[in-house]
Amino acid sequence: MSLLSLEDVTFSHGDAPLLDGVTLRLEPGQRMALVGRNGAGKSTLLKLAAGDLVPDGGAVQMPKGRILTRLEQEVPAGTGGTVREIVAGGALKAAAQKEEPPEDWEIDVAVDRVIGELDLDPDEQFADLSAGRKRRALLARALAPDPDVLLLDEPTNHLDVESIAAVEKLAGSLRGAVLFVTHDRAFLKRVANRIGELDRGGLSAWECDYDTFLARRAAQLEEEEARAAAFDKVLAREEAWIRQGIKARRTRNEGRVRALEDLRRQRAARRKKLGAANMVAAEAEKSGRLVLKAEGVTYAYPGENEPTVKSLDLTLSRGDKLGLLGPNGCGKTTALRLLLGDLKPQSGSVRHGTNLEVAYFDQLRDTLDPDKTVRESVTDGAEEVLVGGRKKHVVGYLGDFLFTPDRVNVTVGSLSGGERNRLLLARLFTKPSNVLVLDEPTNDLDLETLELLEGLLVDYGGTALLVSHDRDFLDHVATSVLAYEGDGRFKEYDGGYSDWQRARDAAAASAGSKPSPTGSQAPIKAAAPANKLSFKERKELDGLPAKMEQLETEQAALHAKMAEPGFYQQPADTIAAATARDAALTKQLETAFARWETLEERAG
């Protein structure tokens, strides 16, 4: 039985259905990535699955007693309390919906485990967290109940590489199903074992990994274009026939006329695939060969005991593409501001080259006025833009960034995250530059637009400074990486993310230490347990052996039943129920034993 099913679902925002007869079934163990262009309906489909939206037609179904949790793109309004209260509240709410609710101690174990794995402080107030740590807390809330279905909408946004790797591990280990939307190709490749593509209102499911999907889809699109061309030839021939002289019209075959009318209807109903973005950056005159040179740069914010940036040395030449890599809050933005001259170092120096024209992409989008229209945001009222030495009408230019004529006059405040990102890029690329500074440029971009941005940056004749946690993006674009090494220190490595990772692992191996799988930062750790047991914990410890014996007895009886002749000739629902119960008993035993070990150790 499917954990979640959408049957012939239709949903409209305007004239053309956003989702048109979509059918989807999720089974245990499936981790399905939803891909498609911005605006194809990916987030809408997740909201329909979660029950936030009601379909215009069709049905969304989930078996009774199953648990669905999700991570949304935005932080829900009114979220407050400590991290542990938020995570435990989500776990308790989900547990109450299960046919066999877990006991309190099992919930406590799950909550503590996921808080530790995501490196969160359970006592910290949610309101005091950074955007990235808020996302981690909400992820913990979604993961703690061990849901049957987990919905993730852009789970890697605002997360550093360590957190992304932790989410990959947790999402990949769920016994249920995962349905997610992401722009992070490395995350997609590591987690997804099924791909669902939303295109022109329809959903096609591909039972393969992402790389195989790309190859198969390319072949399918070629076939689709060939069929469309053959169809158009037939239509053109029939249109020519119907336009023949009076004699032909008098004797024409009425069946052929009806067939032509049907062809016309099919052609009118055909929804064209949205074209690709066409990004071009306006380049200024070349800068000098030297772009900047930093020597011994150190900076500490007022009141801090230790510098945020310590003894930074770096030389950038024209054409270099530098990626800044490190966990959230480590000082990447501070280092960037020091390099650009926005902050003055307390020791050391930064020397800039000649003829620098800098264009800055801000991840917080605060350079966009929400009350202005898309057109006004790019040109401030002008009808034309100058790109690549040529004038172009603003509507045509915005069309290169996938804004249709009816979208150029809407306000910025009504745009989706992906649209805002494309608009900021469109605005940025009208400004002549020879130094591009891009702070998290990949957030919310669809995968095709992201690949085009990569191509633009690779071909860009100037210098680029890139702050990003997108591993594939850094691999494809960066010529070197400035990585955080801890204690305020940054070090430059040649190549992209994978090159840095190999160099770091080799250095750690030669030093006789085992590196963190995700970065040079301190390893993730849970809060230290107390040394003594409370009365409640002592009582829990005393009752655990009997609890484990009861679970083992039930599982042994179930195994005996499943070994009987004819067991697998029973109805599929009966077999599935027994298999699911066996898996649940195994997990409960593992959890109980882990809890017993923890309490025994603390009891001393």
Side-chain angles (χ1 to χ4, degrees), residues 26-209:
L26 280 179
E27 308 293 340
Q30 288 184 339
R31 299 185 296 277
M32 186 175 192
L34 284 177
V35 301
R37 305 300 292 268
N38 291 138
K42 301 187 294 295
S43 293
T44 298
L45 192 149
L46 291 183
K47 290 176 181 177
L48 286 164
D52 286 352
L53 295 175
V54 178
D56 299 332
V60 179
Q61 298 174 329
M62 190 171 181
K64 185 179 178 181
R66 298 295 187 180
I67 301 302
L68 180 148
T69 63
R70 61 180 174 143
L71 174 73
E72 303 170 72
Q73 281 198 43
E74 304 296 334
V75 176
T79 305
T82 67
V83 168
R84 198 180 198 289
E85 287 170 345
I86 287 170
V87 178
L92 288 167
K93 181 179 179 181
Q97 301 174 46
K98 292 188 176 182
E99 292 182 349
E100 296 184 18
E103 296 188 14
D104 289 349
W105 66 266
E106 293 177 293
I107 295 173
D108 289 340
V109 169
V111 168
D112 291 338
R113 176 183 60 83
V114 74
I115 286 176
E117 291 199 33
L118 287 172
D119 192 25
L120 291 163
D121 180 350
D123 298 321
E124 196 167 5
Q125 288 292 324
F126 183 83
D128 296 335
L129 300 177
S130 66
R133 296 186 73 79
K134 283 180 178 178
R135 294 279 287 177
R136 283 199 230 175
L138 295 175
L139 270 166
R141 182 172 70 176
L143 289 162
D146 189 25
D148 298 290
V149 178
L150 175 65
L151 307 180
L152 301 173
D153 198 351
E154 296 290 2
T156 65
N157 275 6
H158 306 297
L159 296 186
D160 54 40
V161 174
E162 278 201 345
S163 299
I164 292 171
V167 177
E168 287 174 353
K169 177 184 175 183
L170 291 166
S173 65
L174 283 179
R175 299 173 188 271
V178 184
L179 181 64
F180 66 96
V181 176
T182 185
H183 66 271
D184 187 323
R185 289 156 299 177
F187 181 89
L188 195 160
K189 292 172 185 177
R190 286 169 170 81
V191 174
N193 57 18
R194 191 181 186 211
I195 307 295
E197 183 185 28
L198 279 171
D199 182 29
R200 291 163 285 179
L203 176 71
S204 54
W206 305 73
E207 307 296 332
C208 59
D209 58 34

Side-chain angles (χ1 to χ4, degrees), residues 415-490:
L415 299 180
S416 67
E419 287 176 317
R420 290 190 185 197
N421 229 351
R422 291 203 311 268
L423 176 59
L424 196 55
L425 289 170
R427 175 187 172 107
L428 182 77
F429 292 157
T430 61
K431 300 175 181 179
S433 69
N434 48 39
V435 178
L436 278 177
V437 182
L438 305 180
D439 192 354
E440 291 291 353
T442 65
N443 284 352
D444 302 315
L445 289 183
D446 61 63
L447 297 174
E448 291 180 47
T449 306
L450 176 54
E451 290 172 1
L452 289 164
L453 174 61
E454 288 176 349
L456 179 146
L457 292 172
V458 169
D459 294 336
Y460 181 64
T463 306
L465 288 83
L466 315 164
V467 179
S468 180
H469 300 299
D470 189 319
R471 294 155 288 179
D472 275 20
F473 179 75
L474 291 175
D475 272 343
H476 296 162
V477 177
T479 58
S480 65
V481 167
L482 187 65
Y484 180 68
E485 299 281 293
D487 193 29
R489 298 185 182 275
F490 289 82

Side-chain angles (χ1 to χ4, degrees), residues 77 117 239 264 273 292 425-426 512:
E117 291 199 33
E239 292 286 6
R264 287 171 173 169
K273 186 173 178 65
L292 64 85
L425 289 170

Side-chain angles (χ1 to χ4, degrees), residues 275-278 392-405 408:
N278 181 29
K392 190 165 188 176
H393 195 277
V394 62
V395 175
Y397 176 70
L398 286 167
D400 290 340
F401 289 81
L402 305 182
F403 288 99
T404 55
V408 300

